[in-house]
Amino acid sequence: MLGAAIAVIMRHRRLAEGGDNADGARQPTVRRRRRVYRPRVTYHGLHELEIVERYRVDRELLQQIVELCRPRLTHRTNRGEPIPVETKVCVGLRILATGTFQRPTGDMMGISQASASRVLHQFLDAMSAHVGDHVYFPNAREVLASNMRLFQQIAEYPEVVGAIDCTHIRIKAPAGEQGRILR
């Protein structure tokens, strides 16, 4: 049984190396093209202003995010050339911060669109593992009332209890009955 398995493995090896085919005729050797990896881009060579423009965080916070995500984003393999954690974080932040598509972000960072998609999911998984440590929504009535008073005093926004990314987006309700329901 073991001898038969070894014979099959040896036959496949001979075929892969350009050995005999089923008819006994010699086959040409087919060589794989060597993979070419584009240079990976990270934030290390960028000025502070460029980092803020591209990723909406400063260098210090970006480094903290890299270290926070490093255990979950480190890929241990002997195959190919793994994408560095810094590049993965930059891809995730770039897509989230600017709303760009995966293909141009991947092109800019030196990875394919498919890799950008996988990296985005990995980054979101890594960040969501720490969301409870950094993001919270108050549920005590006193805290909610205090937040509403502060937003009213600061920005004259009534009944606001929190903000995300400090961005206010005006949403225009649809006209007619549907708009009345959604208000």
Side-chain angles (χ1 to χ4, degrees), residues 21-170:
N21 63 15
D23 299 336
R26 188 93 176 143
Q27 286 187 308
T29 301
V30 177
R31 295 188 183 257
R32 279 188 182 173
R33 282 189 357 204
R34 187 175 197 99
R35 282 189 167 211
V36 176
Y37 295 100
R38 294 184 280 178
R40 309 288 195 227
V41 178
T42 64
Y43 61 93
H44 295 296
L46 299 176
H47 295 289
E48 188 69 28
L49 184 59
E50 288 178 299
I51 291 173
V52 173
E53 286 176 354
R54 289 184 185 193
Y55 309 114
R56 305 270 173 95
V57 295
D58 61 12
R59 183 180 305 273
E60 183 180 343
L61 182 56
L62 183 55
Q63 290 170 338
Q64 289 174 5
I65 294 170
V66 166
E67 293 310 315
L68 182 72
C69 295
R70 187 174 299 283
R72 290 181 174 265
L73 293 180
T74 301
H75 186 71
R76 294 171 181 86
T77 182
N78 293 330
R79 297 183 60 203
E81 188 172 322
I83 300 170
V85 173
E86 291 82 1
T87 302
K88 290 180 179 184
V89 170
C90 288
V91 167
L93 286 176
R94 175 80 176 175
I95 291 171
L96 296 176
T98 62
T100 57
F101 292 103
Q102 295 169 357
R103 182 175 307 278
T105 300
D107 288 345
M108 185 182 97
M109 304 303 290
I111 61 174
S112 67
Q113 180 275 322
S115 292
S117 177
R118 282 191 301 274
V119 163
L120 178 60
H121 286 281
Q122 293 169 3
F123 174 71
L124 293 174
D125 288 343
M127 290 298 290
S128 65
H130 300 284
V131 75
D133 301 333
H134 303 281
V135 177
Y136 72 96
F137 190 81
N139 55 7
R141 288 190 182 272
E142 303 83 37
V143 177
L144 290 172
S146 173
N147 285 356
M148 285 194 283
R149 278 192 303 277
L150 287 171
F151 272 103
Q152 179 68 38
Q153 290 171 356
I154 294 170
E156 297 183 13
Y157 285 150
E159 299 183 21
V160 174
V161 294
I164 297 175
D165 190 32
C166 300
T167 302
H168 175 73
I169 302 170
R170 183 177 181 187

